[in-house]
Amino acid sequence: MTEIKLALLDMNNNHPNQGMRNIREISAAFQKNSEFDVKIEYFDVRYKNEMPNVADFDIFISSGGPGTPHKEGYEWEEKFSNFLDEILAFNKENEQKKFLFLICHSFQLASIHWEIGNVCKRRSYSFGIMPIHKTDEGDEEFLFQNLPDPFFAVDSRAYQLIEPNYESIYNLGAKLVAIEKFRPHVVHLERAIMAIRFSDEIFGTQFHPEADPFGMMENLKDETNKEAMIENYGIEKYHETLDKIDDKDKIVLTQAQILPRFLQHAAEQVQKKSEILVY
């Protein structure tokens, strides 16, 4: 049985967070139901300054988190930047690859580091269940294969990635695979980039593919989140969302597809390469 080593990077800086619970649960379900021998380790990146050694793991999931994605001078920031570059360098130099999934805050950090575009503060905080639209390249993205267009995901952010730098995107070999909802009533606002395939092994989302209905309800107990959702969607949409929060074709479907497919695919690729190298 192939051993798969999975590292979970907590970027929440000791703040209460439903997303990390979801990531742990999805990872534990993968470990329990997998044909692989899955080992999971947890790293508290921002609060405890913990960072995994790239060489020691096969798969990494890096969470969302609070605060600005722009550097403020903390030691962990440089460590995380080096971590991103180490994975890219390792994958260029080795047949056996390392796989990385970046969520929300981690997605923003990577987008800044690799100069993908302008990561700037939104006019207002966004929270809610929003439609995510696939780009033409997103139509070919296998992680989205069983999702409709648009599909639905939890959005929770004060920052956004806009104004893509196509030179950096081309040099990296990245693909923009999902964008924000169309907003005809505010045409002067550019649609934010919501998901990027940075490389064959590295994928990131601005939204939260790990989110579940329970976590969404827990987050809505926070008045800031509730007010942000009503501001962005209106009171009628807020109540409609509560009524349909556990619909099987919305965030339940997104949670069941993206991260589990990423984990399964990554593990299969690790196994395949391991067998070839052993042979």
Side-chain angles (χ1 to χ4, degrees):
M1 184 182 294
T2 303
E3 183 177 76
I4 302 294
K5 295 181 179 179
L6 170 61
L8 305 182
L9 282 64
D10 185 345
M11 305 293 284
N12 288 288
N13 202 22
N14 207 36
H15 286 73
N17 183 268
Q18 292 296 320
M20 203 61 219
R21 172 187 62 82
N22 292 136
I23 292 169
R24 285 178 179 267
E25 289 177 354
I26 291 169
S27 300
F30 174 66
Q31 181 183 49
K32 179 180 178 181
N33 301 318
S34 178
E35 67 270 32
F36 307 103
D37 178 19
V38 180
K39 309 294 186 185
I40 302 174
E41 289 192 37
Y42 168 87
F43 296 85
D44 191 337
V45 176
R46 295 172 69 183
Y47 190 67
K48 295 183 179 179
N49 203 28
E50 298 173 343
M51 187 68 66
N53 185 344
V54 169
D56 293 342
F57 296 89
D58 304 297
I59 307 172
F60 307 83
I61 300 176
S62 190
S63 79
T68 175
H70 295 282
K71 288 185 176 180
E72 297 180 293
Y74 296 110
E75 184 180 353
W76 71 264
E77 294 170 331
E78 195 62 31
K79 285 185 176 181
F80 190 78
S81 293
N82 292 337
F83 163 77
L84 294 173
D85 287 338
E86 284 172 21
I87 289 184
L88 275 185
F90 186 96
N91 288 344
K92 287 180 180 178
E93 297 166 4
N94 294 275
E95 285 294 316
Q96 184 65 281
K97 308 300 183 182
K98 306 292 183 179
F99 293 82
L100 169 63
F101 200 106
L102 300 152
I103 298 172
C104 198
H105 191 81
S106 297
F107 169 86
Q108 294 167 357
L109 292 171
S111 296
I112 292 170
H113 180 67
W114 288 322
E115 300 180 347
I116 297 297
N118 178 19
V119 177
C120 58
K121 201 161 189 178
R122 286 174 49 88
R123 291 200 309 180
S124 61
Y125 177 67
S126 174
F127 184 82
I129 297 174
M130 69 176 290
I132 308 295
H133 294 263
K134 301 177 188 179
T135 64
D136 290 343
E137 290 181 313
D139 285 334
E140 306 300 319
E141 172 55 53
F142 80 94
L143 293 182
F144 296 164
Q145 184 176 322
N146 294 328
L147 298 175
D149 188 14
F151 59 93
F152 290 83
V154 169
D155 185 40
S156 177
R157 60 196 166 99
Y159 289 81
Q160 62 182 351
L161 171 61
I162 56 173
E163 300 168 3
N165 180 342
Y166 288 106
E167 182 178 357
S168 294
I169 292 166
Y170 175 80
N171 290 337
L172 191 63
K175 298 176 182 178
L176 310 183
V177 294
I179 55 176
E180 196 175 22
K181 65 181 179 179
F182 181 53
R183 297 173 291 179
H185 57 292
V186 275
V187 293
H188 60 287
L189 293 180
E190 185 171 349
R191 296 167 77 178
I193 299 162
M194 299 301 287
I196 298 174
R197 177 158 288 287
F198 293 98
S199 72
D200 289 343
E201 299 82 21
I202 304 174
F203 194 86
T205 62
Q206 174 65 86
F207 59 87
H208 288 268
E210 79 279 16
D212 66 354
F214 173 80
M216 182 68 179
M217 290 299 295
E218 287 296 301
N219 282 324
L220 281 173
K221 292 177 182 178
D222 185 313
E223 280 298 314
T224 300
N225 291 335
K226 180 179 177 180
E227 291 172 6
M229 188 174 178
I230 291 171
E231 180 181 347
N232 282 293
Y233 291 92
I235 189 67
E236 291 183 4
K237 189 66 176 179
Y238 167 75
H239 289 299
E240 180 185 336
T241 298
L242 294 183
D243 290 339
K244 298 182 177 181
I245 200 167
D246 56 356
D247 283 5
K248 303 300 182 186
D249 63 343
K250 293 186 173 63
I251 64 172
V252 173
L253 177 62
T254 300
Q255 188 199 37
Q257 287 295 318
I258 295 179
L259 268 178
R261 288 175 71 84
F262 170 81
L263 287 169
Q264 182 65 27
H265 170 76
E268 288 173 355
Q269 294 303 305
V270 171
Q271 179 191 45
K272 188 180 299 183
K273 289 294 183 181
S274 295
E275 291 174 349
I276 292 172
L277 292 173
V278 168
Y279 181 78

